Amino acid sequence: QVQLVESGGGLAHPGGSLRLSCAASEFTFSMYYMRWYRQCPGKERELVASISGTGGVTNYVDSVKGRFTISRDNTKNTVYLQMNSLKPEDTAVYYCYLNRAPGYWGQGTQVTVSS
């Protein structure tokens, strides 16, 4: 059974940083793309970033380019999202996703950016 456990969310001030992590109980973790999504209040869930199995390919939504970095440590079966220069509009519930059929979601972790 695949489980994804997210952590690292919380309250940050504008311009601050948070680092999210998502640990997967998946022995073949390195074979699969991982993604971070977020759902802002009143909005549809959106794809924030993705990373290939070996970490060689990354993609970001335009709104976070230059501020967020997705990475993974396959020895720990963990994907990270480093969030810098946070803005209030980054406030959302963040979810990690394992791209192995049928697809697996983490429970979500709240990120709040406020003064």
Side-chain angles (χ1 to χ4, degrees):
Q1 182 180 3
V2 175
Q3 292 182 322
L4 304 177
V5 180
E6 296 151 335
S7 62
L11 177 65
H13 299 296
S17 297
L18 287 172
R19 184 179 178 88
L20 307 184
S21 64
C22 175
S25 60
E26 171 57 57
F27 291 134
T28 57
F29 179 76
S30 65
M31 295 179 62
Y32 305 105
Y33 265 80
M34 292 290 295
R35 298 169 179 164
W36 284 100
Y37 290 80
R38 68 184 180 188
Q39 188 161 15
C40 300
K43 297 182 179 180
E44 297 285 331
R45 188 174 299 185
E46 69 170 345
L47 177 63
V48 177
S50 62
I51 186 167
S52 61
T54 61
V57 179
T58 58
N59 289 281
Y60 302 90
V61 67
D62 285 345
S63 61
V64 309
K65 287 180 179 177
R67 300 190 298 118
F68 291 10
T69 302
I70 188 171
S71 63
R72 66 194 297 162
D73 184 345
N74 289 338
T75 69
K76 299 179 179 179
N77 286 359
T78 300
V79 64
Y80 304 94
L81 186 67
Q82 178 68 46
M83 305 185 295
N84 298 326
S85 301
L86 284 163
K87 303 175 180 179
E89 51 262 44
D90 295 320
T91 295
V93 178
Y94 285 73
Y95 301 87
C96 64
Y97 176 87
L98 171 64
N99 191 34
R100 174 186 177 183
Y104 297 89
W105 293 92
Q107 81 284 358
T109 185
Q110 176 71 48
V111 170
T112 301
V113 184
S114 175
S115 298

